[in-house]
Amino acid sequence: MKYFSFFLFFIVQITVFADTFKLISRKGEVSVIVTEDNADIDFRKSFPEDYFSITTKEYSYLVIDNGRDALILMPSSKLTYEDGKFTLHDGYMYVKSKHNDEVEMNFAKDDKSYLISGKSFAVISYNDDISIITYNTLAKIMPENSWGASYYLEPYRKSTIIPSLLGPFNATENEKTLIETVARQLEAEVNSHLNKDIERYSFKILEGTKNETTIYRVVHPEPGPNVFLIAPHGSERVGTDVAIERINMPIKKGSMTIVPIAVPEAYAHNLRAIEGQDINNRFFDNKKNITTDTDKLAQKYMDMLVDYDINVVLTLHEGNGVKEFFGDSIIYDTRKLDDTVSKVLEKINARIIPMNLKFKQTYYPMPTTLTYYATKKNIDAYGIELTRNLDYDKKRIIMHTILSEFLRIYGLE
């Protein structure tokens, strides 16, 4: 049975402009045509903003990247960019967000144009038909001049958009296998490129004890802000998972010091804390008789703020229940950060409906917490707090999205 879902609303269009893309890898025979004015352009740095056309031959492919999104054009394909829109004349391409945000691209052919948005999707052009196939997330299709009317395509579904909008249809098993294979290939290409520029290493603290834990460093060759990212509590698992995923994500400059598991024994037993000491209440100078593992770990983390010249601290938390106490908030300890938090929440809350689910801006100084300690050392510091009993995948995506907004403000994304 065929069905359509249409919702009327208005969005702010954030089209991916071509001049933000650069070539990060290719295989086999690939040609790029540009105008004479751009004949000397270095594609490793950027593509032209007005026009380019890419053709891949048999057994070849090309990957371009703009820092937030990546695109792979598969063998025997032709893609043209002109006047802010992409046309896939023939072949297969796959587009993926690198930070759990949505990719938005205009696709056109003849007199028809569509805005496609989603975290990942494939575009296929064959025999003058252009189709969209979703991967494991939704995609949104909005025809040009539709006054906000959008068509939603569920995971592993497909629709033709040219010559007309038809569907949805179920993706075949072959199409599912193809899109999964290409997604893995794109991920490998992007990671390979990133590893050429970014140093990634790790080390252990409290080695040989039950609270031995691993610290990860991600260091870009270009100097910039140094970020300290930590998940303090062992029972707040989404923060740990997000921190781990950030280890292999790109940054544009600066560095990240990442602590996915602040107290391993608490994490192992799914507890908030051990030894009767919440580590997030143990960040202060002049401790007497540091004997517990909790205090030893806290001291190590305080030392790292100095060792790595940290400029920004981000702590990841989950609150106790729907909107209970700190659920869905950005918490901070000094009024000088009002504007930064406001900018982040303006971006985040614009995507959240209804009103009562929007994030709160919470100025709430709490002595002995890591954010308060950092603030006293003239380090910008924020606590990201999510409602605990949201769906896991939603919490994970929201956490990544908020992190990305902070990292953009500080220039790392």
Side-chain angles (χ1 to χ4, degrees), residues 59-302:
Y59 306 117
S60 63
Y61 62 81
L62 177 142
V63 180
I64 56 178
D65 177 287
N66 71 348
R68 291 180 57 185
D69 315 307
L71 179 161
I72 183 168
L73 186 65
M74 296 304 289
S76 303
S77 301
K78 181 179 179 181
L79 176 71
T80 296
Y81 174 84
E82 187 172 14
D83 297 330
K85 298 174 183 177
F86 289 94
T87 298
L88 182 64
H89 304 275
D90 298 288
Y92 181 103
M93 63 181 284
Y94 176 71
V95 186
K96 181 182 184 298
S97 165
K98 294 162 64 178
H99 306 299
N100 289 296
D101 297 327
E102 293 207 340
V103 182
E104 294 193 341
M105 284 188 171
N106 270 314
F107 286 89
K109 191 165 187 178
D110 300 327
D111 59 344
K112 295 186 178 180
S113 179
Y114 292 84
L115 177 67
I116 314 296
S117 64
K119 293 179 177 61
S120 61
F121 54 86
V123 185
I124 298 176
S125 180
Y126 181 72
N127 287 342
D128 292 327
D129 288 344
I130 296 182
S131 299
I132 305 298
I133 303 180
T134 53
Y135 184 28
N136 53 5
T137 58
L138 288 169
K140 180 171 64 179
I141 303 172
M142 189 167 72
E144 190 175 44
N145 302 322
S146 65
W147 297 100
S150 299
Y151 166 57
Y152 282 79
L153 194 60
E154 295 179 356
Y156 293 107
R157 308 297 292 275
K158 63 179 178 180
S159 285
T160 63
I161 58 171
I162 293 171
S164 57
L165 180 58
L166 293 175
F169 309 105
N170 288 322
T172 66
E173 288 304 314
N174 285 341
E175 287 168 335
K176 289 181 181 179
T177 300
L178 176 62
I179 197 170
E180 288 169 353
T181 300
V182 173
R184 286 194 296 269
Q185 182 177 352
L186 178 59
E187 193 76 23
E189 293 287 339
V190 170
N191 287 338
S192 175
H193 172 74
L194 292 173
N195 288 334
K196 294 176 183 176
D197 298 324
I198 298 173
E199 182 183 6
R200 301 174 194 270
Y201 67 92
S202 63
F203 61 91
K204 296 182 183 297
I205 58 174
L206 268 63
E207 286 190 80
T209 74
K210 59 188 176 183
N211 278 303
E212 174 181 300
T213 192
T214 304
I215 313 300
Y216 298 87
R217 292 270 295 152
V218 181
V219 184
H220 197 282
E222 181 179 342
N226 301 309
V227 175
F228 188 82
L229 178 66
I230 185 170
H233 297 127
S235 58
E236 299 172 11
R237 317 295 274 203
V238 168
T240 291
D241 294 345
V242 167
I244 289 171
E245 290 170 347
R246 284 280 160 176
I247 293 166
N248 292 313
M249 285 189 173
I251 56 175
K252 290 182 176 179
K253 59 182 177 180
S255 73
M256 293 187 71
T257 303
I258 301 174
V259 186
I261 301 174
V263 185
E265 187 181 6
Y267 182 83
H269 294 92
N270 199 28
L271 298 173
R272 179 180 178 85
I274 59 168
E275 303 172 319
Q277 293 183 337
D278 181 342
I279 194 169
N280 207 33
N281 289 321
R282 306 303 299 173
F283 290 98
F284 51 89
D285 291 317
N286 303 319
K287 291 193 187 78
K288 296 180 180 179
N289 302 319
I290 299 178
T291 58
T292 67
D293 277 1
T294 302
D295 272 342
K296 291 175 184 177
L297 287 164
Q299 188 61 53
K300 292 284 188 182
Y301 302 142
M302 288 189 288

